[in-house]
């Protein structure tokens, strides 16, 4: 048989999966590895999808998605974050934030273009860049600087070939957040260089301290920013596969072309559920956020007490714990913790080279599980220290 596409052939499977496969094969494992809410979708949201099916609304929607949903998204971004997007020409409803990442890469990248990513970063970015023919260029983020993007590092990373940068704050895996002041320092560099900013804001609602800021809040670079968001994390809707992409009208038209040929339109029942989520789901978000915050506080206190120095994350449902005091590499730590104490977490290296010395622990699981996992991690560390 003929060889398949070289880039696909060379892709490594996600470093997260390996641990799930190991954990699934064992009994009595507590998993703090997953990147999805443990809550079910609030029923009033699901009910609207059921209703849409009962009424026979089982057809394609417009390529961009239902106009009623796009109007809700526009209201939401305007009221919540102070950024206006026209529902007719600037909003595209996608199959999760995942499709949106892929669309951005395919629409912007020419072969050989460089795209800056932050290291550590979400596992899907680099494969999406590479599959579009681009070259990822990494900027290392450090615990010392709270895993923020610093202007001097951005300046150094930009070359003639740079097409875009992908940012994700609050960040998976670090929980790091960029404030308005942090962004203000990099905005002039973005403006001067003319590069695009792909801003993955999927965790914008899972913020515990301070106010969310998007690079699109800065008028000077608004047209250079492509905003990705979705329903998976905020509304506990991972299985519905619904997200959206906000951009200037010209870009949005191009992104919609790609979406049209690859997807046609996002799932119809999910779009009806999403309208309900934005219209009446804000109290649900608040209840879930309060619960995540209590879990975060407990987990961080316990980890720091064990000598695993952990910056208290300002957002998401992950902590990025420094495990260097154990004397183990990230991979050894995770494999041995799973084998010896049956706790599944993810090595920082699954998210990039600078994740060495860290592990990602998800607290999208019950308080009881978190407490039991902490007791097991403590037992695991005792003979090592
Ligand atoms: N971006 C980030 C940073 C994520 O963590 C995830 C999910 N793990 C996604 C995008 C994709 O989410 P979805 O496709 O479910 O919207």
């Amino acid at each position: 048989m003929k060889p398949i596409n070289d880039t696909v052939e060379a892709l490594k499977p996600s470093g997260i999966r390996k641990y799930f496969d190991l954990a699934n094969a064992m009994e009595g494992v507590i998993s703090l590895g997953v990147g999805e809410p443990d809550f079910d979708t609030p029923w009033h949201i699901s009910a609207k999808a059921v209703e849409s099916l009962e009424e026979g609304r089982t057809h394609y929607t417009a390529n961009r998605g239902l106009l009623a949903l796009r109007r809700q998204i526009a209201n939401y971004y305007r009221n919540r974050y102070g950024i206006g997007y026209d529902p007719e020409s600037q909003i595209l409803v996608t199959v999760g934030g995942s499709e949106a990442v892929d669309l951005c890469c395919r629409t912007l990248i020419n072969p050989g273009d460089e795209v800056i990513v932050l290291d550590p970063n979400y596992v899907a970015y680099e494969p999406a860049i590479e599959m579009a023919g681009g070259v990822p260029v990494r900027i290392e983020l450090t615990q010392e600087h709270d895993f923020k993007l610093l202007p001097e590092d951005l300046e150094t990373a930009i070359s003639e070939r740079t097409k875009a940068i992908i940012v994700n704050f609050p960040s998976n895996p670090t929980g790091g957040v960029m404030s308005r002041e942090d962004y203000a320092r990099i905005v002039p560099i973005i403006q001067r260089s003319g590069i695009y900013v792909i801003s993955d804001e999927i965790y914008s609602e899972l913020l515990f301290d301070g106010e969310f800021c998007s690079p699109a809040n800065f008028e000077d670079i608004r047209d250079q920013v492509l905003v990705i968001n979705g329903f998976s994390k905020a509304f506990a809707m991972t299985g519905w596969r619904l997200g959206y992409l906000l951009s200037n009208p010209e870009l949005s038209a191009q992104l919609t072309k790609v979406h049209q040929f690859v997807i046609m339109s996002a799932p119809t029942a999910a779009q009806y559920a999403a309208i309900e989520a934005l219209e009446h789901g804000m109290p649900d978000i608040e209840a879930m956020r309060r619960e995540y915050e209590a879990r975060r506080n407990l987990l961080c206190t316990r980890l720091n007490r064990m000598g695993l120095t952990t910056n208290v994350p300002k957002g998401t449902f992950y902590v990025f714990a420094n495990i260097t005091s154990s004397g183990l590499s990230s991979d050894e730590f995770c494999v041995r913790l799973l084998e010896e104490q049956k706790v599944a977490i993810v090595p920082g290296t699954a998210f990039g080279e600078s994740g060495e010395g860290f592990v990602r622990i998800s607290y999208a699981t019950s308080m009881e599980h978190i407490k039991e996992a902490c007791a097991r991690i403590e037992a695991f560390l005792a003979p090592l220290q």
Side-chain angles (χ1 to χ4, degrees):
M1 276 191 289
K2 300 259 190 189
I4 65 159
N5 173 274
D6 294 339
T7 310
V8 174
E9 175 93 61
L11 284 182
K12 287 199 274 320
S14 159
I16 301 179
R17 274 264 67 96
K18 170 177 151 190
Y19 288 87
F20 288 154
D21 293 345
L22 281 172
N24 283 339
M26 293 166 75
E27 293 271 306
V29 173
I30 296 184
S31 178
L32 303 184
V34 289
E36 68 168 329
D38 54 317
F39 302 104
D40 292 334
T41 305
W43 179 251
H44 67 99
I45 296 175
S46 302
K48 286 291 176 185
V50 173
E51 192 182 297
S52 77
L53 296 173
E54 283 170 347
E55 290 173 3
R57 285 179 261 151
T58 55
H59 303 271
Y60 294 128
T61 67
N63 292 131
R64 282 181 179 276
L66 291 166
L67 184 57
L69 174 56
R70 284 181 275 142
R71 288 197 173 121
Q72 285 296 336
I73 294 168
N75 287 342
Y76 170 72
Y77 251 77
R78 186 179 310 104
N79 299 338
R80 191 107 177 90
Y81 304 128
I83 315 171
Y85 287 100
D86 171 29
E88 308 266 0
S89 65
Q90 295 191 274
I91 300 180
L92 173 62
V93 178
T94 58
V95 180
S98 303
E99 186 211 314
V101 171
D102 188 50
L103 285 186
C104 290
C105 290
R106 292 209 229 190
T107 303
L108 296 178
I109 297 172
N110 277 319
D113 282 349
E114 293 177 357
V115 178
I116 299 171
V117 291
L118 310 180
D119 183 0
N121 72 137
Y122 174 51
V123 294
Y125 300 148
E126 292 186 40
I129 294 165
E130 286 170 354
M131 285 190 281
V135 181
V137 172
R138 299 185 189 140
I139 293 180
E140 186 182 335
L141 306 184
T142 62
Q143 183 176 25
E144 184 193 349
H145 291 109
D146 250 340
F147 301 106
K148 291 175 189 225
L149 171 61
L150 306 179
E152 54 273 26
D153 292 339
L154 177 59
E155 197 98 61
T156 314
I158 293 177
S159 80
E160 292 273 284
R161 306 224 61 165
T162 309
K163 180 60 73 70
I165 178 171
I166 305 185
V167 294
N168 164 228
F169 295 102
S171 156
N172 174 11
T174 67
V177 167
M178 291 277 280
S179 66
R180 181 172 290 274
E181 294 69 38
D182 296 325
Y183 270 125
R185 283 190 275 274
I186 66 163
V187 162
I189 305 170
I190 302 285
Q191 190 182 12
R192 206 177 328 118
S193 61
I195 65 172
Y196 294 103
V197 182
I198 301 165
S199 179
D200 181 348
E201 306 182 355
I202 202 102
Y203 294 99
S204 61
E205 285 291 352
L206 298 182
L207 186 65
F208 311 117
D209 306 303
E211 265 191 22
F212 175 73
C213 181
S214 165
N217 278 115
F218 294 84
E219 204 61 58
D220 290 344
I221 58 164
R222 167 83 56 87
D223 280 353
Q224 288 164 254
V225 181
L226 297 86
V227 167
I228 294 172
N229 210 324
F231 297 87
S232 287
K233 316 288 171 168
F235 295 97
M237 292 177 68
T238 45
W240 297 84
R241 311 307 309 123
L242 212 65
Y244 50 91
L245 188 41
L246 315 173
S247 62
N248 77 50
E250 291 73 30
L251 265 180
S252 193
Q254 301 295 335
L255 292 158
T256 302
K257 273 197 310 205
V258 184
H259 170 82
Q260 175 180 61
F261 291 124
V262 181
I263 298 291
M264 293 282 268
S265 60
T268 302
Q271 294 190 50
Y272 284 106
I275 293 173
E276 170 68 14
L278 289 175
E279 224 170 5
H280 300 118
M282 298 319 277
D284 302 298
I285 289 187
E286 192 45 43
M288 289 189 269
R289 182 180 26 234
R290 273 201 298 273
E291 177 62 24
Y292 288 131
E293 190 172 359
R295 296 171 183 179
R296 172 199 70 164
N297 294 345
L298 173 91
L299 183 58
C300 287
T301 308
R302 293 284 299 266
L303 292 172
N304 279 305
R305 222 186 282 152
M306 290 177 220
L308 303 183
T309 35
T310 306
N311 289 19
V312 178
K314 292 197 169 70
T316 71
F317 38 60
Y318 310 107
V319 297
F320 210 52
N322 187 324
I323 51 104
T324 46
S325 65
S326 69
L328 302 174
S329 73
S330 300
D331 203 48
E332 282 169 341
F333 190 99
C334 293
V335 170
R336 283 187 52 184
L337 179 65
L338 183 59
E339 284 172 356
E340 295 172 26
Q341 292 290 339
K342 298 191 174 180
V343 176
I345 56 174
V346 183
T349 43
F351 307 94
E353 283 163 16
S354 47
E356 185 52 80
F358 294 88
V359 294
R360 190 194 75 174
I361 307 178
S362 161
Y363 48 94
T365 187
S366 70
M367 212 56 127
E368 287 63 42
H369 276 162
I370 293 170
K371 285 182 189 160
E372 174 58 22
C374 284
R376 293 187 189 186
I377 297 172
E378 224 156 26
F380 170 69
L381 288 173
L384 296 174
Q385 283 168 343

